[in-house]
């Protein structure tokens, strides 16, 4: 930080402001004092606050008013020097200098002022009785220091307070007239208290106080020191300590006491550690740390972030019902400047029978925010104090940036946990019902959803071969001519048509042909409202023939008109195809339990693929060798010359033992495969009989 310090003299000469500067530099009183001292820079390593300080003198005899105004606008703090033995110079502080500075500074960003009473060695009394009323009238005055340039009294302290006035100003924190902290300061400290209250019981116990102390000051408090702090609060407030812990009122009182005793740096250290700037607003660098996001990559929460969010949920789920009631939700977001979740969130994630967001729905909503708007997620984590509570460098450490999708396709595997399915369909085809069915809501429950609270997203978890994955459904508005890049960017496409509407399938066919026929994004046709009688679609071919022609899975029947929650099998299929877009999945049950799935897993295993590749290579070499020798036998060229040249070459690669061993392993692998299939079939039969 580059601090600009301007000691300004009143019009009355000989107050000693230049002598103060020269005494600081030379550490002795100067015998000859010029009209104006040259600009001096104090290095950072010799100042208590470790910041460089520029000291700029002003001389009315050598400088114009315009130069004075320029210096005022550049200054971070201004020292007004008066002589303690000159009443006129004291009066000039309020009659001339403070009005002049006020006129030339921005009203919203007042420059802190330091009143400096010089020549204290010439009087036996203090001028503080005269100065205190001035300080009470002008909130921009940080403090007053009496000093002596001749005796070097309080010279270093003067410039220390000047630096402190810039780095730890009183103005944003405290109102001298009311003798209390300002509302913005109270609001910031209240948020800090609630973030630090790890169990949300309204009290900072010894463990939480020690964590707070270590977080802000890198050192825990001794047991006796903790008791001393609580005893001070007890003596001054009846409700400041409860159950041997510090309440919010006690916490605020403690900081008020720090400020009143001149220890502003303590409160400022706490505020800045929790992300606040000089205006008591959360710093943009704190809320939005840098995060590189390459093209074709997505963002997900990592394990540490999920653990943190789980602790936040547990902290506010007071009735332990694994759901957040409206009161608990408001309490959770009380540390936010606004309510981040609107009414549509209840139709985006899973809720319980009372309509409250469940634990799974809570994590799903955070996953959705991270995927769609990672900057918003970083902001939200900042409000919750993720970097502080989780002891991480920033919120960005809780985000995983996935590798590009094209690399996943090349390697035929992915580490992603969130897969997006864009749902297309004509008006009335059942897209909204399809999204709500994913959240476990049948047709009767869906009728209670109001149009203004409708959501175009739905997210929940599915299990693919035993792995928990998030499936994000996005309903695309059926405007065929205006599909944006966001409408087309996804992992799988769901094409929904109404089996009872003969014109419904045509829209899906057009969307597929125009946007997805030549892309690598897998598509799945969904025959919605399958509880109704199926009618013939007015199109060149049936949906089944269309799917066969374009090498798509057959249309998947679906209905949400059920007594209980709709079946989730279709959503497991969508997630599986999105996770393995390169695989040709002939069995669409993806249950990982049926005989076909278990056999497919075995046949597609890496071990069996390696054995098969080696067997193919051996068989091909053997076949080639036999054909080559047959040609030599019937050829008119000298047989011995070719055999001498070629046979040693083949002998090095394929011996008789190799051929026998390859035959053995071929038979063994075929036998093992047959036994495995029979074993799986027997296992399934036993399960059915049980």
């Amino acid at each position: 930080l580059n601090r600009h310090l301007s000691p300004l003299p009143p019009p009355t000469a000989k107050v000693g402001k230049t002598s103060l500067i020269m005494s600081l530099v030379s550490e002795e009183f100067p015998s000859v004092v010029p009209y104006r001292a040259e600009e001096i820079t104090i290095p950072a390593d010799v100042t208590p606050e470790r910041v460089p300080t520029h000291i700029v003198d002003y001389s009315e005899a050598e400088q114009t008013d315009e130069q004075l105004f320029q210096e005022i606008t550049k200054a971070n703090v201004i020292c007004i020097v008066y002589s303690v033995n000159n009443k006129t110079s004291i009066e000039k502080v309020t009659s001339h200098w403070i009005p002049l500075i006020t006129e030339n500074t921005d009203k919203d960003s007042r420059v802190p002022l330091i009143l400096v009473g010089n020549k204290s060695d010439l009087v036996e009394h203090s001028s503080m009785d005269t100065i205190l009323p001035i300080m009470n009238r002008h909130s921009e005055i940080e403090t007053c220091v009496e000093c002596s340039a001749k005796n070097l009294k309080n010279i270093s302290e003067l410039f220390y307070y000047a630096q402190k006035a810039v780095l730890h100003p009183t103005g944003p924190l405290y109102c001298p007239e009311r003798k209390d902290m300002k509302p913005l300061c109270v609001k910031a400290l209240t948020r800090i208290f609630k973030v630090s209250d790890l169990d949300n019981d309204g009290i900072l116990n010894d463990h939480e106080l020690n964590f707070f102390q270590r977080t802000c000051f890198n050192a825990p408090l001794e047991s006796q020191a903790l008791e001393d702090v609580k005893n001070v609060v007890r003596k001054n407030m009846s409700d400041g300590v409860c159950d041997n812990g510090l309440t919010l009122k006690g916490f605020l009182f403690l900081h008020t006491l720090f400020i009143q005793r001149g220890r502003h740096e303590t409160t400022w250290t706490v505020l800045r550690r929790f992300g606040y700037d000089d205006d008591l607003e959360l710093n943009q660098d704190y809320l939005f740390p840098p995060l590189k996001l390459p093209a074709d990559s997505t963002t997900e929460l990592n394990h540490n972030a999920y653990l943190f969010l789980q602790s936040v949920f547990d902290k506010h789920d007071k009735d332990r019902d694994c759901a957040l009631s409206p009161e608990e939700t408001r309490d959770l977001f009380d540390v936010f400047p606004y309510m981040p979740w609107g009414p549509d969130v209840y139709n985006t994630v899973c809720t319980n029978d009372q309509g409250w967001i469940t634990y799974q729905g809570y994590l799903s909503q955070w996953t959705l925010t991270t995927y769609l708007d990672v900057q918003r997620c970083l902001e939200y984590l900042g409000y919750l104090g993720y970097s502080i509570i989780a002891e991480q460098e920033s919120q960005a450490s809780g985000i995983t940036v996935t590798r590009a999708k094209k690399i996943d396709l090349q390697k035929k595997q992915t580490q992603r946990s969130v897969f997006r399915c864009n749902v297309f369909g004509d008006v009335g085809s059942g897209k909204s019902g399809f999204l709500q069915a994913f959240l476990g809501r049948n047709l009767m429950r869906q009728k209670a959803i109001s149009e203004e609270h409708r959501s175009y997203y739905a997210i929940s978890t599915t299990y693919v071969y035993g792995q928990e994955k998030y499936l994000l459904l996005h309903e695309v508005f059926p405007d065929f001519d205006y599909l944006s890049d966001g409408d087309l960017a996804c992992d799988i496409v769901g094409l929904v048509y109404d089996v009872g509407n003969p014109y419904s399938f045509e829209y899906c066919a057009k969307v597929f042909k125009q946007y997805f026929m030549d892309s690598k994004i897998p598509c799945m046709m969904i025959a919605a409202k399958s509880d109704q009688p199926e009618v013939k679609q007015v199109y060149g071919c049936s949906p089944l023939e269309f799917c066969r022609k374009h090498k798509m899975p057959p249309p998947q029947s679906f209905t949400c008109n059920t007594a209980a929650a709709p079946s989730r099998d279709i959503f497991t299929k969508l997630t599986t195809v999105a996770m393995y877009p390169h695989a040709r999945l002939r069995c669409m049950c993806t249950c990982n339990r049926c005989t076909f799935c278990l056999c497919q897993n075995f046949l597609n295993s890496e071990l069996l693929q390696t054995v098969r590749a080696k067997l193919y290579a051996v068989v091909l070499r053997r076949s080639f060798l036999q054909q080559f020798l047959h040609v030599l036998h019937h050829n008119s060229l000298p047989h011995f010359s070719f055999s001498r040249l070629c046979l040693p070459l083949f002998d090095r690669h394929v011996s008789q033992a190799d051929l026998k061993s390859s035959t053995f392993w071929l038979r063994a692998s075929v036998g093992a495969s047959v036994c495995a299939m029979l074993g799986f079939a027997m296992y399934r039969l036993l399960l059915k009989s049980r």
Side-chain angles (χ1 to χ4, degrees):
L1 298 174
N2 198 14
R3 301 302 174 189
H4 194 84
L5 182 62
S6 296
L8 303 177
T12 307
K14 304 297 182 181
V15 295
K17 50 93 185 174
T18 305
S19 299
L20 286 172
I21 299 173
M22 299 186 71
S23 295
L24 173 72
V25 176
S26 62
E27 296 185 352
E28 61 179 3
F29 185 69
S31 56
V32 179
V33 181
Y35 283 108
R36 175 174 172 266
E38 296 296 326
E39 183 175 332
I40 297 170
T41 299
I42 303 176
D45 55 356
V46 299
T47 60
E49 298 292 344
R50 314 295 295 176
V51 290
T53 304
H54 297 291
I55 302 176
V56 181
D57 195 5
Y58 169 72
S59 172
E60 191 177 28
E62 294 186 356
Q63 293 175 284
T64 62
D65 289 345
E66 185 63 31
Q67 290 175 313
L68 171 62
F69 300 153
Q70 290 178 0
E71 293 295 342
I72 290 174
T73 57
K74 291 191 295 182
N76 297 110
V77 58
I78 298 174
C79 295
I80 302 177
V81 184
Y82 65 91
S83 177
V84 295
N85 64 343
N86 189 328
K87 189 176 180 180
T88 305
S89 68
I90 297 175
E91 293 173 351
K92 290 290 184 180
V93 170
T94 54
S95 63
H96 178 74
W97 287 111
I98 292 179
L100 178 69
I101 294 169
T102 303
E103 291 173 5
N104 289 275
T105 54
D106 188 6
K107 183 179 181 181
D108 296 329
S109 57
R110 293 292 190 195
V111 180
L113 305 178
I114 305 292
L115 299 185
V116 182
N118 194 20
K119 301 185 181 182
S120 63
D121 59 296
L122 299 181
V123 296
E124 296 181 356
H125 63 276
S126 173
S127 63
M128 295 306 294
D129 293 339
T130 308
I131 296 300
L132 282 175
I134 298 175
M135 293 178 64
N136 291 332
R137 290 198 303 270
H138 300 278
S139 60
E140 61 268 32
I141 299 176
E142 287 288 323
T143 189
C144 176
V145 182
E146 289 190 345
C147 57
S148 171
K150 186 175 183 180
N151 296 341
L152 305 181
K153 176 185 175 183
N154 290 341
I155 301 298
S156 299
E157 287 78 3
L158 158 64
F159 293 98
Y160 166 72
Y161 282 118
Q163 284 187 336
K164 190 177 176 181
V166 178
L167 298 174
H168 313 298
T170 309
L173 306 180
Y174 191 74
C175 178
E177 292 83 2
R178 295 189 294 108
K179 295 183 179 180
D180 199 1
M181 288 189 295
K182 291 186 175 179
L184 274 179
C185 183
V186 172
K187 182 180 178 182
L189 290 174
T190 300
R191 170 185 167 268
I192 291 171
F193 178 89
K194 292 185 176 182
V195 168
S196 304
D197 185 10
L198 302 179
D199 54 8
N200 198 33
D201 62 350
I203 298 170
L204 294 184
N205 55 39
D206 287 356
H207 169 71
E208 292 164 342
L209 283 171
N210 261 314
F211 181 80
F212 172 82
Q213 179 76 11
R214 190 172 64 252
T215 298
C216 297
F217 305 102
N218 298 319
L221 281 173
E222 298 293 335
S223 299
Q224 187 57 47
L226 272 174
E227 287 302 318
D228 293 342
V229 169
K230 286 185 277 191
N231 287 333
V232 170
V233 177
R234 283 192 188 99
K235 290 179 181 179
N236 292 273
M237 294 191 73
S238 59
D239 53 353
V241 178
C242 180
D243 295 335
N244 202 35
L246 204 62
T247 65
L248 175 59
K249 289 184 178 180
F251 184 76
L252 295 176
F253 166 77
L254 211 53
H255 281 281
T256 304
L257 198 62
F258 288 146
I259 297 169
Q260 290 174 344
R261 293 183 177 180
R263 292 176 56 187
H264 314 82
E265 64 275 11
T266 302
T267 301
W268 274 114
T269 301
V270 171
L271 289 166
R272 286 176 177 138
R273 178 66 184 90
F274 279 79
Y276 289 92
D277 58 17
D278 291 347
D279 298 322
L280 296 185
E281 297 289 342
L282 284 171
N283 200 307
Q284 294 297 298
D285 293 336
Y286 167 79
L287 290 177
F288 304 102
L291 180 69
K292 292 183 179 179
L293 184 59
D296 202 26
S297 296
T298 59
T299 48
E300 301 175 1
L301 293 168
N302 61 25
H303 181 64
N304 290 332
Y306 277 120
L307 287 179
F308 170 76
L309 292 171
Q310 178 183 351
S311 68
V312 173
F313 183 92
D314 293 338
K315 172 180 174 179
H316 293 89
D317 183 21
K318 295 181 179 179
D319 53 9
R320 296 292 181 263
D321 61 347
C322 289
L324 293 176
S325 67
E327 294 78 14
E328 291 170 342
T329 304
R330 285 193 295 269
D331 185 41
L332 190 153
F333 292 121
D334 195 40
V335 295
F336 284 56
Y338 56 88
M339 184 63 182
W341 293 354
D344 60 323
V345 72
Y346 294 95
N347 299 315
T348 305
V349 298
C350 294
T351 57
N352 62 9
D353 294 336
Q354 295 171 288
W356 300 349
I357 297 176
T358 61
Y359 170 72
Q360 186 60 58
Y362 165 82
L363 292 181
S364 297
Q365 179 63 25
W366 278 100
T367 303
L368 175 69
T369 305
T370 308
Y371 187 93
L372 296 179
D373 190 351
V374 68
Q375 292 297 320
R376 184 65 59 87
C377 178
L378 292 173
E379 179 188 359
Y380 291 173
L381 289 174
Y383 292 140
L384 291 173
Y386 170 77
S387 60
I388 297 161
I389 304 303
E391 299 183 82
Q392 300 290 331
E393 184 177 353
S394 70
Q395 296 88 269
S397 62
I399 305 297
T400 295
V401 179
T402 65
R403 68 185 180 187
K405 187 178 178 182
K406 62 180 180 181
I407 300 177
D408 286 347
L409 293 174
Q410 291 172 359
K411 295 184 177 292
K412 296 185 178 181
Q413 60 180 359
T414 181
Q415 299 298 323
R416 291 190 295 156
S417 299
V418 185
F419 298 92
R420 176 169 178 166
C421 173
N422 283 355
V423 181
F424 293 83
D426 204 358
V427 177
S429 60
K431 300 187 301 299
S432 300
F434 183 70
L435 266 66
Q436 292 303 310
F438 185 36
L439 305 178
R441 295 165 188 156
N442 58 19
L443 190 60
M444 289 298 295
R445 289 185 62 185
Q446 293 178 25
K447 290 179 179 179
I449 300 174
S450 60
E451 184 64 27
E452 59 267 23
H453 296 163
R454 178 183 174 187
S455 175
Y456 292 94
Y457 290 93
I459 183 170
S460 187
T461 56
T462 60
Y463 285 87
V464 178
Y465 300 136
Q467 302 179 52
E468 185 183 50
K469 302 294 180 182
Y470 281 95
L471 178 63
L472 165 60
L473 300 179
H474 171 47
E475 179 184 345
V476 179
F477 190 77
D479 192 346
F480 187 81
D481 298 326
Y482 297 97
L483 293 181
S484 65
D485 293 338
D487 296 332
L488 303 176
C490 59
D491 301 299
I492 185 171
V493 173
L495 300 168
V496 180
Y497 71 95
D498 181 1
V499 298
N501 183 352
Y503 303 100
S504 182
F505 177 75
E506 183 180 6
Y507 176 87
C508 296
K510 287 182 178 179
V511 169
F512 175 81
K513 284 187 174 182
Q514 180 163 344
Y515 295 104
F516 301 107
M517 188 166 66
D518 298 324
S519 73
K520 294 182 179 180
I521 301 175
C523 299
M524 187 178 292
M525 203 69 68
I526 300 166
K529 305 181 183 179
S530 60
D531 58 302
Q532 299 178 3
E534 185 173 359
V535 299
K536 183 179 180 180
Q537 296 292 321
V538 180
Y539 191 70
C541 59
S542 68
L544 180 60
E545 292 171 345
F546 183 89
C547 291
R548 287 175 178 172
K549 179 180 178 182
H550 296 284
K551 298 180 180 180
M552 294 168 57
Q556 303 296 305
S557 299
F558 175 81
T559 180
C560 58
N561 189 12
T562 57
S567 172
R568 292 176 59 89
D569 290 345
I570 181 65
F571 306 108
T572 304
K573 296 174 186 179
L574 287 169
T575 312
T576 306
V577 176
M579 192 173 175
Y580 302 106
H582 53 276
R584 295 180 179 178
L585 300 173
R586 295 171 185 172
C587 173
M588 291 303 297
C589 71
T590 64
C591 64
N592 203 32
R593 295 188 301 272
C594 69
T595 305
F596 187 90
C597 286
L598 293 173
C599 292
Q600 281 291 100
N601 289 344
F602 175 74
L603 293 174
N604 292 329
S605 64
E606 185 178 352
L607 175 62
L608 200 60
Q609 295 293 336
T610 304
V611 171
R612 186 172 65 178
K614 289 183 178 180
L615 288 173
Y616 281 164
V618 171
V619 171
L620 286 174
R621 286 201 298 265
R622 182 177 181 181
S623 175
F624 177 75
L625 177 59
Q626 290 175 346
Q627 291 179 10
F628 185 74
L629 292 176
H630 180 74
V631 171
L632 287 178
H633 181 70
H634 296 282
N635 201 305
S636 60
L637 293 175
H639 179 270
F640 73 94
S641 60
F642 280 96
S643 62
R644 286 179 181 176
L645 290 173
C646 299
L647 284 177
L649 175 65
F650 284 102
D651 284 343
R652 285 197 297 269
H653 295 281
V654 184
S655 64
Q656 191 68 20
D658 290 336
L659 294 176
K660 288 182 179 179
S661 63
S662 64
T663 304
F664 169 77
W665 285 110
L666 178 62
R667 292 172 180 172
S669 61
V670 172
S673 300
V674 173
C675 290
M677 291 182 183
L678 291 174
F680 289 140
M682 296 275 297
Y683 173 72
R684 294 296 298 169
L685 288 173
L686 288 172
L687 284 182
K688 284 184 178 179
S689 64
R690 290 183 182 179

